């Protein structure tokens, strides 16, 4: 399994996930043409996607999702709340339609098993996701004000974790946002700060985790190097020299391997012996 973040942050979110011949798009927060261009640039035909998963109905996550899904005949998958609040209800009756995802209930999409998890955010029914194949697990959680214990446990068991690191608390406090917006961002239904991400990294990360990708960074209240430094200090505190930090900017990332290096190495050994 591998992933490629196409775009991350308030100007748009979309991530490609690949497991063997199965490809899914997580969020469609760019215009439909841009989404299609990025998917093709990654070597995948848009109509070959197994689904477009939606985390929640905010525009930076759903902007081109409906138009893209209709144009290429790909089904949308999200919570009932996202379906209603995002205006996707009519698509439920169409083909390929909108499939309802429920927290804690795994969905089979080709070679992937996807488990949605409820998270607190100022949206109708937002979700984080854990993607599994028999050999690897990928956790993805952005747009959440705090990390519920059970979601933290699900992420902690993953080989690669994409986690929100939205703002630096001091930059948010001293920055240009109007006070009500500052309060919303910092609230339990807002966004995780660099400190929140660092706390998870220092205290929860499982032994099999080899990469943490910091995502949904604010362009106003954060800086990629600040987010990276905070996460790397957390790794040092936890004594973890075996974990790599990646930072997803608005331009995304390259392909990132989810499979544990040990498994990749074991396969290489096998080929050598053979
Ligand atoms: Zn967002
Ligand atoms: Zn949001």
């Amino acid at each position: 399994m591998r992933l490629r973040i196409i775009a991350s942050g308030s100007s748009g979110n979309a991530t490609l996930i690949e497991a063997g011949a199965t490809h899914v798009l997580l969020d469609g927060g760019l215009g439909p043409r841009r989404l299609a261009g990025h998917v093709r640039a990654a070597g995948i035909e848009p109509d070959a996607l197994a689904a477009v998963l939606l985390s929640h109905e905010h525009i930076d996550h759903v902007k081109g999702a409906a138009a893209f899904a209709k144009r290429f005949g790909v089904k949308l998958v999200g919570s009932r709340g996202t379906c209603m609040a995002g205006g996707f209800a009519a698509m439920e009756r169409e083909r390929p339609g909108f499939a309802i995802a429920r927290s804690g209930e795994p969905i089979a999409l080709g070679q992937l098993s996807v488990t949605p998890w409820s998270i607190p955010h100022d949206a109708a029914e937002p979700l984080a996701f854990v993607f599994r194949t028999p050999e690897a697990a990928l956790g993805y959680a952005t747009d959440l004000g705090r990390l519920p214990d059970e979601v933290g446990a699900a992420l902690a068991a993953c080989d690669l974790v994409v986690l929100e690191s939205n703002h630096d608390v001091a930059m948010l406090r001293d920055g240009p946002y109007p006070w009500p917006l500052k309060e919303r961002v910092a609230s339990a239904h807002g966004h995780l700060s660099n400190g929140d991400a660092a706390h998870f990294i220092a205290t929860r990360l499982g032994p099999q985790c080899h990469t943490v990708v910091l995502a949904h960074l604010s362009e106003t209240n954060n800086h990629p190097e600040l987010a990276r430094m905070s996460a790397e200090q957390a790794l040092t505190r936890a004594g973890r020299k075996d974990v790599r930090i990646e930072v997803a900017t608005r331009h995304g990332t390259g392909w990132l391997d989810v499979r544990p290096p040990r498994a990749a190495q074991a396969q290489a050994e096998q080929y050598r012996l053979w």
Side-chain angles (χ1 to χ4, degrees):
M1 179 168 31
R2 59 181 190 156
L3 79 155
R4 181 170 179 169
I5 296 179
I6 290 169
S8 186
S10 55
S11 54
N13 295 272
T15 296
L16 263 174
I17 294 147
E18 175 183 272
T22 304
H23 295 91
V24 301
L25 191 61
L26 169 52
D27 284 336
L30 302 173
R33 285 211 189 109
R34 285 186 65 198
L35 282 174
H38 282 289
V39 170
R40 286 201 181 99
I44 298 144
E45 275 310 308
D47 60 6
L49 290 170
V52 179
L53 292 161
L54 299 176
S55 62
H56 63 298
E57 72 277 15
H58 287 163
I59 194 73
D60 56 319
H61 298 262
V62 303
K63 186 179 178 184
F68 179 90
K70 284 183 186 168
R71 166 80 178 78
F72 295 106
V74 181
K75 76 175 161 193
L76 294 174
V77 180
S79 68
R80 165 72 55 197
T82 299
C83 179
M84 302 310 285
F88 301 109
M91 290 178 72
E92 257 194 286
R93 293 182 294 275
E94 296 166 6
R95 291 199 66 80
F98 190 109
I100 301 297
R102 290 173 192 82
S103 182
E105 295 182 14
I107 305 157
L109 290 170
Q111 289 166 260
L112 276 171
S113 167
V114 186
T115 308
W117 291 99
S118 277
I119 47 171
H121 185 55
D122 58 349
E125 195 184 344
L127 297 172
F129 295 98
V130 172
F131 300 83
R132 282 189 178 281
T133 64
E135 59 175 9
L138 157 67
Y140 186 104
T142 72
D143 296 69
L144 65 171
R146 60 176 188 82
L147 188 59
D149 274 347
E150 65 170 1
V151 185
L155 295 182
C158 292
D159 302 288
L160 185 150
V161 179
V162 179
L163 185 63
E164 172 160 60
S165 193
N166 177 258
H167 56 278
D168 172 77
V169 170
M171 282 181 77
L172 175 67
R173 185 191 61 212
D174 302 335
Y177 279 13
W179 185 248
L181 183 54
K182 288 183 183 185
E183 278 199 313
R184 186 179 78 73
V185 171
S187 80
H189 286 78
H191 295 273
L192 292 185
S193 68
N194 293 347
D196 294 328
H199 181 74
F200 172 81
I201 290 167
T203 61
R204 299 293 299 269
L205 224 49
Q208 75 298 329
C209 179
H210 59 75
T211 304
V212 177
V213 183
L214 305 175
H216 212 285
L217 271 68
S218 167
E219 291 191 23
T220 309
N221 304 308
N222 207 351
H223 192 280
E225 281 314 306
L226 204 56
R228 177 187 290 279
M229 215 191 315
S230 166
E232 284 179 349
Q233 282 167 358
L235 283 178
T236 305
R237 283 206 298 284
R240 293 292 297 267
K241 294 197 174 78
D242 57 329
V243 181
R244 188 164 63 120
I245 301 293
E246 294 281 343
V247 181
T249 65
R250 61 190 297 206
H251 304 296
T253 64
W255 283 110
L256 300 169
D257 218 324
V258 180
R259 195 168 57 157
R262 279 189 299 278
Q265 211 177 351
Q267 195 179 48
E269 294 282 337
Q270 213 169 23
Y271 278 118
R272 218 175 9 243
L273 287 173
W274 188 72

